[in-house]
Amino acid sequence: MTSPREEGYRTPSIEDYERHEKHRNRLEDHFSQSHLRSPGGMLSLFSETKSHISLTKSLEKLLWKERLRHFTWSFFTMTMATGGIANVIHAVPFRFPGIDTIGTIFFLFNLLLFLINIVLISFRFHLYPETFKSSLSHPTESLFVPAAVVSFGTVLINISQYGLNNIGLWLNTAMLVLFWFDVALAMIASIGIYLVIWSTQTFTIHQMTPVWIFPAYNLLIIGPYAAVLSTVMDQPRALDIIIGGFTLQGIGFLVSLTIYAAFIYRLMTQKLPKENIRPGMFVSVGPSAFTAGALINLAINTEKAFPADFMGNGPLASMIIRVVASWAALWLWGLAIWFFIVSVGAHWTCVRDGDLNFAMTWYSFIFPNTALVTATFAVGTAFSSNAIQIVGCVMSCILIAAWFFVFGMMVRAIIHKQILWPQKGEDKDEGGFRMADMKGKKVRSYSEGFIITPTTSPV
C-alpha cells in the first residue's frame, strides 16, 4: 500500500462527499452535452449505456469469494452485542425456570458467531493479503479492529458466568490465566491501535464520533470480567483480580473521558453526525455504564477478598469502599442515562424521515446499552431498590427484542447487497484512502465490472 501523505490518512469530511457529487455532476453534464451534439453522439451514448448495464450485471453476479473481501472488523460488533445479551440475561435479578437456558443459548450462539467471524476474516486476509494492512490504516475500518478483542473478552465473561462451578475446578484455573492474558491483550491492543491510528491518520473534529472510544473498550470490559471472576476465586486470587480490574477500568474510563470532551465539542460546533453514522452515538453510553456496574460489583466482592487486617481493618475497609463505590457509581450511571437519552433523541429525525440505512454500526444500539442495563441492576442491588431493578428488567426485554431486529436487518442487508459489497462497507474509499492505490493490488478493474465510485456518503 502506498504510504499516506505527510499528514497521514484523514477521516472523511462532508466536503469530500460534496466534491465527489459536484465532480460527478460535471462529468454527467459534459458527457450528455458532448454526445448529444456530435453526429454519432446518440449511437455512442447508446453504446456507453449498454456498457454500463453490462457492468451492473457483472456486479450483480459478484461471487461470495469476492464479497468476502469486504468482511471487515466491524462484524465483530455482532458478537459484542450477542455476548452482551447473554451477560444481561445472567444479571437479571428476578430469576425464573428456563432463564439460565435462554442465557446459555445466547452464549453458545455467540461463541459460534465468534468462531465464524475468526474463520471468515482469516479467509479474507488469506485470499486478499493486502487487505490486512489496509484494514489497520483505513480511516474507518481501523477503528473497528478493537471489536475483535472486545468480543474475545465478552466470550471469556460469558464462560465465567455460565461455566464456572458447573464444569470443574480446572475451568476456574483456566479462566484465571485467561483473565491476566486478557488484561495484557487489552493494554497492548488499546495502546497499539491508538498508536497506529495516530501515526497514519489525521482526524478532523467535525467528523468526530464516539467510535473514537472503541480502542478503549478493550479496557472497559476488564472490570466487569474481574467482578464475575472474583466471586468464585479464593481470597488471595480474588484480591489480585479486584485490584487489576479496578486499575484497568479506571484507565479505560479516563481515556474515554478525554474523548467525551472532544465529542461534546464536536456537537457544540458541528451539529449532529450524519444519519448513516449516527448509531455510533450510542457508543458514548458504554464507558460510564460499564464503569458504574464494575465499581459496584467489585466493591461487593471486597468483603470476601480483603484479609482481616487489610488496611488495618479488612471488614471496615470493605464497607467504606462499598459506600464510596455505590455513590460514585450513581454519577456514572446518570451520565450513561444522559448519553442514552441524547442518542435516542438524535435518531428521531432518522426514524421520521426513513434515512437510516443498515450498517454494522447498528449493533451500537445493543452492546453499549447492555452495559446500561447491567449497571441499572447493580445500582438497584446496591441501594436495595426493587423499582430500579424492575426498570432494568423492562429495559432487558426491549434490548433483546432490539437484538432480534438488528440481527434480522443484518441478514436482510447481506441478501440485498447493502453490506459485504464493494464501496458499501467500512472499507470503502474515503478520506484520501483508496484500495486501488495499493501495491501489488488484485482488485478487479472497472472493465471487469468493479465500480470504485462511492455509492454512499462517507462516514
Side-chain angles (χ1 to χ4, degrees):
M1 184 175 65
T2 56
S3 300
R5 302 180 179 90
E6 272 187 27
E7 71 274 13
Y9 295 119
R10 59 174 175 78
T11 50
S13 66
I14 186 63
E15 287 79 10
D16 292 334
Y17 182 63
E18 290 172 346
R19 281 195 296 269
H20 163 68
E21 289 297 312
K22 291 178 181 178
H23 178 65
R24 186 176 68 177
N25 292 337
R26 285 198 300 269
L27 287 178
E28 289 177 351
D29 291 342
H30 175 75
F31 175 78
S32 59
Q33 292 174 12
S34 61
H35 279 69
L36 291 176
R37 291 174 183 173
S38 62
M42 291 302 295
L43 181 60
S44 176
L45 178 61
F46 175 77
S47 176
E48 293 288 344
T49 303
K50 184 176 180 181
S51 175
H52 176 73
I53 293 173
S54 175
L55 291 177
T56 303
K57 289 182 178 179
S58 176
L59 273 178
E60 288 177 352
K61 297 178 181 178
L62 206 63
L63 299 176
W64 280 101
K65 177 182 176 182
E66 295 167 306
R67 294 187 69 175
L68 198 61
R69 172 191 288 275
H70 309 287
F71 189 90
T72 65
W73 293 104
S74 64
F75 275 83
F76 282 95
T77 59
M78 171 180 60
T79 46
M80 289 168 55
T82 309
I85 293 294
N87 184 30
V88 165
I89 294 174
H90 183 270
V92 172
F94 306 110
R95 315 300 292 178
F96 60 85
I99 189 172
D100 288 330
T101 301
I102 296 172
T104 302
I105 291 172
F106 270 99
F107 156 53
L108 294 177
F109 183 57
N110 183 57
L111 185 60
L112 175 64
L113 291 176
F114 181 71
L115 295 175
I116 290 174
N117 280 353
I118 291 293
V119 170
L120 291 182
I121 203 164
S122 297
F123 272 127
R124 175 202 181 193
F125 296 146
H126 174 71
L127 295 172
Y128 309 101
E130 70 278 3
T131 60
F132 176 72
K133 186 176 180 180
S134 69
S135 71
L136 301 178
S137 303
H138 193 281
T140 297
E141 186 181 359
S142 61
L143 292 171
F144 288 93
V145 174
V149 182
V150 177
S151 293
F152 175 69
T154 304
V155 168
L156 294 182
I157 292 174
N158 290 159
I159 293 174
S160 299
Q161 291 169 328
Y162 293 96
L164 295 181
N165 296 330
N166 293 326
I167 295 180
L169 291 178
W170 65 270
L171 184 60
N172 292 23
T173 303
M175 295 312 298
L176 177 64
V177 173
L178 287 172
F179 170 78
W180 292 113
F181 172 78
D182 194 37
V183 166
L185 180 63
M187 284 291 289
I188 294 171
S190 179
I191 295 171
I193 292 168
Y194 271 131
L195 283 175
V196 170
I197 291 173
W198 294 336
S199 301
T200 61
Q201 301 175 36
T202 299
F203 290 93
T204 52
I205 193 64
H206 67 281
Q207 280 298 108
M208 188 275 171
T209 71
V211 175
W212 289 10
I213 299 175
F214 239 40
Y217 259 67
N218 305 318
L219 304 170
L220 290 169
I221 63 169
I222 297 297
Y225 186 9
V228 173
L229 198 59
S230 59
T231 59
V232 297
M233 293 295 169
D234 54 22
Q235 185 271 316
R237 291 178 174 179
L239 179 59
D240 293 340
I241 291 171
I242 289 173
I243 293 174
F246 260 107
T247 302
L248 266 73
Q249 192 70 31
I251 296 172
F253 177 73
L254 291 176
V255 171
S256 303
L257 191 63
T258 61
I259 301 175
Y260 270 154
F263 180 53
I264 295 298
Y265 175 74
R266 180 251 181 273
L267 291 177
M268 294 295 290
T269 58
Q270 302 291 334
K271 298 183 180 180
L272 293 171
K274 290 186 68 62
E275 289 81 358
N276 60 327
I277 58 174
R278 206 167 291 180
M281 291 182 66
F282 281 97
V283 175
S284 61
V285 176
S288 51
F290 277 119
T291 305
L295 280 178
I296 292 175
N297 291 323
L298 287 171
I300 291 173
N301 294 342
T302 58
E303 184 177 359
K304 184 191 75 170
F306 284 178
D309 59 346
F310 187 78
M311 293 186 174
N313 188 327
L316 180 61
S318 174
M319 185 179 300
I320 292 172
I321 287 177
R322 288 187 63 174
V323 172
V324 173
S326 297
W327 286 96
L330 272 182
W331 283 11
L332 299 174
W333 180 57
L335 181 62
I337 292 174
W338 188 87
F339 274 114
F340 172 78
I341 295 173
V342 168
S343 301
V344 170
H347 285 77
W348 166 246
T349 56
C350 301
V351 175
R352 182 193 62 192
D353 302 333
D355 291 335
L356 200 59
N357 295 321
F358 181 85
M360 292 305 292
T361 52
W362 276 34
Y363 280 104
S364 298
F365 295 143
I366 310 299
F367 183 69
N369 295 322
T370 63
L372 179 58
V373 174
T374 54
T376 301
F377 289 143
V379 169
T381 300
F383 292 92
S384 302
S385 173
N386 284 334
I388 293 178
Q389 292 182 335
I390 290 172
V391 170
C393 290
V394 174
M395 294 170 64
S396 300
C397 295
I398 296 173
L399 200 59
I400 292 171
W403 179 89
F404 279 104
F405 173 74
V406 173
F407 191 85
M409 291 298 292
M410 181 192 68
V411 174
R412 178 182 179 275
I414 293 174
I415 295 173
H416 290 274
K417 302 166 186 175
Q418 294 176 335
I419 56 176
L420 285 180
W421 201 254
Q423 301 302 325
K424 289 192 176 182
E426 290 73 21
D427 61 336
K428 61 174 173 279
D429 298 339
E430 58 185 359
F433 182 97
R434 288 173 56 85
M435 280 294 295
D437 293 336
M438 297 181 60
K439 294 179 180 179
K441 58 183 180 297
K442 297 181 181 179
V443 181
R444 294 171 62 186
S445 66
Y446 184 87
S447 61
E448 295 175 301
F450 185 86
I451 299 176
I452 58 176
T453 301
T455 57
T456 59
S457 59
V459 293

